[in-house]
Amino acid sequence: MFHRHPVLRIRRKTAVAAALGLVLALVTGASPATHGARTAVGPSTTALPAYAIQSTAKVTDSAAAVSSPGYPAAGWYAAGPRSTVLAALLAAGKYADPFYSTNQKNIPTADFTVPWWYRSDFTVADTSARTYLDFSGVVSAADVFVNGRQVADKSAVVGAYTRHELDITSAVRSGTNTVAFRVQPNDPRKNLTMGWIDWLQPPPDENMGIVRDVLVRRGGPVALRDAHVVTALAVPSLATADLTVKARARNDSASTVTTTVSGTIGTASFSQDVTLAAHETKTVTFTPATHPQLHLASPRVWWPAGMGEQALYGLDLTASVSGTASDTVHESFGIRDVKAPLNADGARQYSVNGRPLLIKGGGWSPDEYLRWDRTYAEDRLKYALDLGLNTIRLEGHIEPDEFFDLADRHGILTLPGWECCDKWEGQVNGSEPGDKWTAADYPVAKASMAAEAARLRDHPSVISFLIGSDFAPDKTIEKNYVDALRAADWQTPIVAAASDKSSPITGSSGMKMTGPYDWVPPNYWYNKQEGGATGFNSETSAGPDIPTLDTLRRMMSPTELDTLWKSPSAKQYHRSPSSTFATLALYDAALAGRYGAPAGLDDYVRKAQLAQYENVRAQYEAYARNAKDASKPATGVVYWMFNSGWTSLHWQLTDRCLDQGGAYFGAKKANEPLHIQYSYDDRSVAVVNGRHTPVSGLTARVTLFNTDGTQKYDRTATGVGVGGDGARTTVLTVPASVSGLSTAHLARLLLTDSTGKEVSRNVYWLSTKADVLDYAHTDWYYTPTTAYADLKGLSAMAKATVTAGATTATGGDGASTTTVTLTNTGTGRTPALLTDVHLVDAKGAPVLPVQWSDNQVTLWPGETTTLTATYRTADLHGSAPRLTVSGWNTPTATVHG
C-alpha cells in the first residue's frame, strides 16, 4: 500500500563460478514434499526436514567444514524447514513474546547484520539416480554448499521469489549428505525480497532466512519440468473445455535418450515418445487436436464459493526410459474462465465463467515472522468465507503453495502481486522508500516473476497478478514481467498496478488507491468520490480496528492500556512505525465526538466495537448498493486489511488471536447473501441479492425508535422482488424529518419471505445531525470531518435484560456446536443494543476460532433469536463450554453451554 532455475553441473570448484550465471527457467510439478529422508531409487521429491542455524559471527570454521557430514554443530539453534532466523530464536525461547507490549524492541538488530548458517542433512542409499536441490524463498541471498563444496553463490541465489535448481549429482555420496546455506542479511529497501511497509513494527531480522521448502529431487536421466495445463472453457455455455498439457523434458545424461512421456487427467490418458540429444531440452505438448480425449464435454467447472462447486482435476505425468520411470509430476488445476475488462468508466470489472461479480475482499498478512501454520491459515480463510468475502489480496508476502491449495479448495479468489514502498518499486516510486535498481536487479525481478507465474498459474483461485502496487512499472520492467508471464502461459489478467496508474503494455490498471487508511464516518462510503463506492478500490478502510478486551489484555501492559483510552495523542507501538499512523488521534476524536468521551477502558472498547461495526458495515454495503449502477458502478473493494501479522490496533477484520469484534460482525452483516440495508446518503432502504437466483414475494419493513424504545415511524413494502448476482431493489425511503424523533435514534430493518420467515434483519443507530466531510482538504489517507453525528444519547439508554439458554452437541468430526437462545425479557420498550455472545472455556478464555451464525444482535422486548457457534471441541481443553453475554446496554452474564 501507499503507504529459473538453473542447472549447475558440479565438476571442479574452480568451474563453479563460471556456471553461476543463473538463467531464467521454470519448474513446477514437484510431488508433494514429505519430511524425512527418502532413499528409494527412482523419481522422488523430499523436503529438507529441519536445519541447525547459527550466526557466522560465532562460527570460525570454514564453509567446507560446516557443510561436511558429521560436523559438530554444538550450540546451534534448531529451525524448521521454513524458518526465518528470528522465528527459530523465538521457538528456542531466546526472547520474550514479541507480540506483547514493546518486547520486540529488546531484540538486538545487530545480531542480524551478519550472515547466518543453515545446515541440514539428507540420506542417499544409491547414487545412480541424479540429485538436484530445488528451492526458492531465500531471504535475501545465500552461498550454497554441499558436502564441503560450493555449488552456488549469493550473486546467483538472490531474491525471495527466484527459483533455483542445482544439479548436485556429482557431489552426492552414499549415506549422509550435508547441505549448508550461508544466508545473507535482508534489507527490503535494497533487496527484491519482502518488507512490512507501514503495516506493523518490522521484525528485527527483517525476515532473513529460508521461508519455503528446500527440495531434494531424485530421478533418472530425463527430468520433467514446467508441467502445466492450459484450459479453454466455452463461455457462456460451459458445455466444453479444451485442455493443453505442456511440460519440458530435459535429458541430463551425456547420451541421446528416447523417453516416453505419458499422462493422465481423470480417465483420459495420453502419451508420446520424445528423442533428446545429450543435455537437450524439448517442450512436450499434448493438445485436443492430437489427443481428442483432452476435449472435455460437460467439464466440471471451478467456481468461487457461493457460485458453484470447487471442482479440481489432477494431472499426472511420467517420463520413462526403457520402461523405467525417470521422473514423475503431479499438478492440480481447475477449469474456469476469468475476464476483467475495463468498463465504460475505466474500472476493472471481473467475471468468472461469464458471470460478473463484485469483488469483496480483504488484504492478507502472513505471520510477522513468516511462520507457516496450515491450520491457522485455513482458520483465517474460513473466516473470510464466514464474512461473505470472495477475494483475498496479497501485496507481496506471496504465501506457500499450501495457501493457494486451500484457496482453491474453499473457493476464495486471490489477487497476488508485488509490494510497494521498498526495492520492488524503487525505480518508479519517486520519493517513496526503496533503492533504485541496478543492472543486476532486472534479471532477478524477471526470474521472480517467472517463478511465481509457474507456481501460481494452475491454481483456479488466482485471478490476476498485480505487477505494480502504488506505482506501475516502467516500460523495461513491465516488458520483463509480461514476457515472463506470457512464457508461462499465464491466462488471467495482468494488472499494471493496484493504484490508478497505467503502463505501456498492459494499459490502465482499472483500479484506484484513494484510501482512506484512517478514520472517516460511515456516510463517506456512499459518495462517489475519493474512496467512496465507485470503481475498484484495491485497499481502503477507516483505519483503526480496536480488538476485543480479551485480545487487548493479551497484547498490552496495564500501563499501555491506561494510555490507550486516556491519551489520544500518544504514540501506539501496536499501530504502525509510520509517523502518519503512529497515534489514534483521528479515531479517538471521532469516538468522543460522536459517542462521548470514554469513561474508562471498558467504555472505550465498548464504543469502539459499536463504531467499527457501523463503519465496516457501511463500507461493504455502499459498494454492494452501487454495484449495478448505470453510471460509475462499484466493481470491487478490498478492506485494508483482512488480518494483521501481529497484535495490532488497526487494519484488521479479525485480530491476531482470531477474536471477533464489531468490525468482524459488521462485515458479516453487510455481506449476507440476501440483505436489507439503509443508505446514509439518501436514506433509501434497499434489498441486495448476492445469490444467483432472483427472489420475489418479499416484505420489507422499516421502523424508527427513540433510544427509550418509543416507536416514531413504521412503513412496510410488500411484493418485493430482486434479481440475482448482486442486483438491488430500492423499496423505501425514510423521510428527512420525523416528528418527535430523538437526536440519536435506532432504525430496525426487517426482510421476510412469502411465508413470513425473517430472512434479513439489520439495526442502525443514527443521528438527526449528520457527519460533515471536508472533501476540499482530503489528504492521501483520509478526508477530514468538520462536524460529527451526535450519538451520545445512546449512552442514556436504559438497561435491558437479556436471558440466554444454551445446549451443545459434539460431532464425530472433532467439532462441537453450541446453540444459544437469546431473549429480551425486559418489561419496558428499550431494546438490547448490539448484544454480543462470546464462547469461553472454564477459565474464561475465549475459544477461538469460532464461527457464529450471527452475533452482536439487537433485540426489542419480547424478541428472541437463536445463534449457533461451531468450533473445535479440543479448544475447550476438556471443559464444558460457557458463554459470556454482554451488550451496549446489557449487563454481562455467564451462561453454561
Side-chain angles (χ1 to χ4, degrees):
M1 66 162 278
F2 191 85
H3 4 18
R4 51 213 142 153
H5 141 97
V7 176
L8 299 184
R9 288 176 175 78
I10 306 166
R11 297 185 177 89
R12 299 182 304 275
K13 195 169 183 178
T14 54
V16 171
L20 289 177
L22 299 186
V23 296
L24 176 67
L26 307 175
V27 181
T28 60
S31 302
T34 56
H35 293 173
R38 287 276 298 275
T39 58
V41 176
S44 67
T45 301
T46 306
L48 294 178
Y51 300 95
I53 73 169
Q54 184 58 274
S55 169
T56 58
K58 297 183 179 181
V59 178
T60 57
D61 297 310
S62 68
V66 170
S67 61
S68 294
Y71 175 78
W76 287 37
Y77 297 96
R82 310 169 187 174
S83 178
T84 65
V85 172
L86 186 51
L89 300 182
L90 291 171
K94 185 171 176 64
Y95 305 114
D97 179 8
F99 289 107
Y100 180 75
S101 187
T102 57
N103 285 348
Q104 187 171 251
K105 286 183 176 181
N106 298 326
I107 301 174
T109 57
D111 289 354
F112 312 109
T113 58
V114 299
W116 278 66
W117 280 112
Y118 276 64
R119 188 182 184 283
S120 186
D121 292 336
F122 65 95
T123 303
V124 169
D126 188 324
T127 58
S128 62
R130 303 199 70 81
T131 305
Y132 313 87
L133 285 181
D134 182 350
F135 59 91
S136 64
V138 175
V139 183
S140 68
D143 301 302
V144 187
F145 302 82
V146 175
N147 293 340
R149 298 166 58 179
Q150 186 168 1
V151 297
D153 72 13
K154 62 186 178 183
S155 67
V157 179
V158 59
Y161 298 102
T162 55
R163 189 166 185 177
H164 311 274
E165 184 179 56
L166 310 180
D167 187 338
I168 60 172
T169 303
S170 65
V172 169
R173 63 188 67 174
S174 180
T176 301
N177 295 264
T178 299
V179 179
F181 292 81
R182 186 163 55 201
V183 178
Q184 302 300 306
N186 184 40
D187 183 343
R189 292 158 293 280
K190 298 180 181 298
N191 308 121
L192 290 168
T193 55
M194 305 176 190
W196 288 100
I197 319 169
D198 48 10
W199 301 6
L200 45 72
Q201 301 292 346
D205 72 337
E206 296 282 9
N207 295 131
M208 72 180 295
I210 301 175
V211 298
R212 293 181 180 172
D213 286 339
V214 174
L215 304 177
V216 178
R217 297 170 65 127
R218 308 205 72 223
V222 175
L224 285 176
R225 299 293 184 262
D226 193 29
H228 61 285
V229 182
V230 180
T231 64
L233 177 65
V235 175
S237 72
L238 313 184
T240 62
D242 287 335
L243 309 181
T244 298
V245 177
K246 292 185 178 182
R248 286 186 297 111
R250 187 183 69 212
N251 180 8
D252 286 334
S253 75
S255 304
T256 298
V257 170
T258 296
T259 181
T260 299
V261 179
S262 58
T264 60
I265 295 175
T267 59
S269 60
F270 41 89
S271 68
Q272 62 176 288
D273 292 338
V274 180
T275 299
L276 299 166
H279 307 301
E280 183 183 12
T281 298
K282 288 183 178 178
T283 298
V284 183
T285 304
F286 303 89
T287 70
T290 58
H291 296 80
Q293 59 270 45
L294 295 177
H295 174 79
L296 304 186
S298 302
R300 295 172 57 234
V301 176
W302 187 94
W303 289 95
M307 297 177 70
E309 71 166 322
Q310 287 72 59
L312 294 172
Y313 287 79
L315 165 69
D316 288 283
L317 283 180
T318 300
S320 300
V321 178
S322 301
T324 299
S326 178
D327 202 2
T328 60
V329 168
H330 175 80
E331 188 81 356
S332 293
F333 67 96
I335 298 174
R336 56 90 176 96
D337 178 85
V338 176
K339 296 289 189 297
L342 304 184
N343 66 15
D345 300 298
R348 197 167 291 275
Q349 173 66 70
Y350 278 87
S351 67
V352 177
N353 303 331
R355 282 166 52 183
L357 75 162
L358 172 69
I359 294 295
K360 296 186 291 185
W364 181 268
S365 174
D367 171 75
E368 177 173 3
Y369 309 108
L370 303 185
R371 296 171 293 192
W372 172 253
D373 183 324
R374 185 186 186 282
T375 299
Y376 184 54
E378 187 167 24
D379 287 341
R380 285 178 287 164
L381 289 174
K382 287 180 177 178
Y383 268 15
L385 290 178
D386 184 51
L387 292 178
L389 305 185
N390 56 28
T391 304
I392 290 294
R393 180 184 166 211
L394 299 96
E395 182 187 351
H397 307 98
I398 305 175
E399 291 277 42
D401 294 344
E402 296 96 320
F403 175 88
F404 296 96
D405 291 338
L406 290 169
D408 292 344
R409 185 156 59 83
H410 289 295
I412 300 172
L413 304 174
T414 63
L415 289 170
W418 305 129
E419 64 194 44
C420 84
C421 313
D422 57 20
K423 183 60 176 265
W424 284 102
E425 293 186 346
Q427 202 67 6
V428 294
N429 67 1
S431 61
E432 290 300 306
D435 286 4
K436 301 297 182 186
W437 289 18
T438 67
D441 293 313
Y442 288 86
V444 173
K446 185 174 183 179
S448 300
M449 185 72 267
E452 289 304 285
R455 190 171 72 93
L456 299 177
R457 64 190 161 193
D458 274 344
H459 288 284
S461 59
V462 179
I463 58 168
S464 276
F465 199 95
L466 278 63
I467 56 175
S469 180
D470 293 22
F471 297 88
D474 63 23
K475 182 178 181 179
T476 301
I477 297 172
E478 183 191 26
K479 185 176 187 306
N480 283 339
Y481 286 155
V482 172
D483 285 351
L485 285 158
R486 290 177 177 167
D489 292 322
W490 188 262
Q491 291 190 267
T492 62
I494 303 169
V495 181
S499 58
D500 185 11
K501 304 289 184 181
S502 62
S503 49
I505 301 171
T506 57
S508 173
S509 70
M511 296 187 178
K512 67 178 183 179
M513 191 186 286
T514 47
Y517 301 98
D518 213 324
W519 192 85
V520 291
N523 63 350
Y524 171 94
W525 303 107
Y526 294 84
N527 299 322
K528 292 190 176 184
Q529 53 185 315
E530 301 298 342
T534 182
F536 193 119
N537 199 338
S538 69
E539 49 183 63
T540 185
S541 76
D545 287 303
I546 305 301
T548 64
L549 197 55
D550 284 312
T551 296
L552 284 171
R553 286 173 172 152
R554 294 184 185 189
M555 62 186 265
M556 299 174 77
S557 70
T559 299
E560 290 166 335
L561 290 174
D562 209 38
T563 300
L564 177 65
W565 73 271
K566 287 182 177 179
S567 306
S569 62
K571 289 186 177 180
Q572 296 292 341
Y573 185 70
H574 285 267
R575 184 156 192 217
S576 172
S578 164
S579 59
T580 302
F581 304 117
T583 76
L584 293 167
L586 289 173
Y587 177 85
D588 287 354
L591 206 65
R594 300 174 90 243
Y595 290 100
L601 178 63
D602 285 9
D603 189 49
Y604 178 80
V605 175
R606 182 177 73 121
K607 288 172 176 171
Q609 303 314 312
L610 202 67
Q612 287 155 199
Y613 188 109
E614 65 164 341
N615 214 318
V616 174
R617 175 178 59 183
Q619 178 175 333
Y620 281 113
E621 285 183 338
Y623 272 82
R625 188 199 71 172
N626 291 359
K628 300 295 184 180
D629 285 0
S631 174
K632 299 178 68 177
T635 62
V637 59
V638 177
Y639 188 89
W640 205 252
M641 296 177 65
F642 171 70
N643 69 300
S644 177
W646 83 323
T647 42
S648 179
L649 295 171
H650 74 168
W651 299 342
Q652 55 189 355
L653 293 176
T654 178
D655 65 39
R656 168 73 191 177
C657 302
L658 298 181
D659 210 349
Q660 305 150 321
Y664 186 98
F665 291 113
K668 181 176 172 68
K669 176 57 63 177
N671 293 323
E672 61 186 358
L674 182 60
H675 181 61
I676 187 169
Q677 63 185 63
Y678 172 84
S679 302
Y680 283 82
D681 58 341
D682 61 8
R683 305 176 311 284
S684 63
V685 174
V687 176
V688 177
N689 182 16
R691 297 169 177 155
H692 181 54
T693 305
V695 291
S696 59
L698 302 173
T699 298
R701 182 183 179 188
V702 182
T703 313
L704 302 185
F705 301 87
N706 284 346
T707 52
D708 64 0
T710 304
Q711 181 175 308
K712 291 296 179 180
Y713 175 85
D714 188 51
R715 292 293 184 275
T716 298
T718 60
V720 175
V722 57
D725 294 330
R728 176 196 83 214
T729 295
T730 300
V731 294
L732 290 164
T733 299
V734 176
S737 178
V738 174
S739 177
L741 196 63
S742 55
T743 302
H745 54 278
L746 304 176
R748 184 182 65 194
L749 281 58
L750 299 176
L751 186 68
T752 54
D753 65 15
S754 58
T755 68
K757 178 184 176 182
E758 184 178 295
V759 293
S760 179
R761 162 186 286 248
N762 209 349
V763 176
Y764 295 78
W765 37 104
L766 304 170
S767 174
T768 57
K769 180 183 176 184
D771 294 291
V772 179
L773 288 149
D774 182 8
Y775 282 101
H777 291 91
T778 296
D779 207 333
W780 66 266
Y781 63 98
Y782 86 117
T783 295
T785 304
T786 57
Y788 296 117
D790 185 356
L791 296 165
K792 300 180 185 68
L794 296 176
S795 295
M797 290 179 68
K799 295 295 181 184
T801 303
V802 174
T803 59
T807 59
T808 296
T810 300
D813 58 354
S816 292
T817 298
T818 296
T819 301
V820 186
T821 301
L822 299 176
T823 303
N824 183 337
T825 55
T827 58
R829 295 175 300 198
T830 305
L833 178 61
L834 217 68
T835 302
D836 176 271
V837 186
H838 253 62
L839 185 75
V840 299
D841 63 18
K843 296 181 180 179
V847 176
L848 300 167
V850 59
Q851 289 201 5
W852 287 94
S853 58
D854 196 2
N855 209 330
Q856 298 198 344
V857 295
T858 300
L859 298 173
W860 269 256
E863 288 187 330
T864 296
T865 191
T866 299
L867 315 176
T868 59
T870 304
Y871 50 95
R872 286 188 286 264
T873 308
D875 290 341
L876 286 169
H877 307 294
S879 69
R882 299 183 181 185
L883 299 153
T884 301
V885 181
S886 60
W888 175 259
N889 59 326
T890 306
T892 301
T894 300
V895 178
H896 292 274

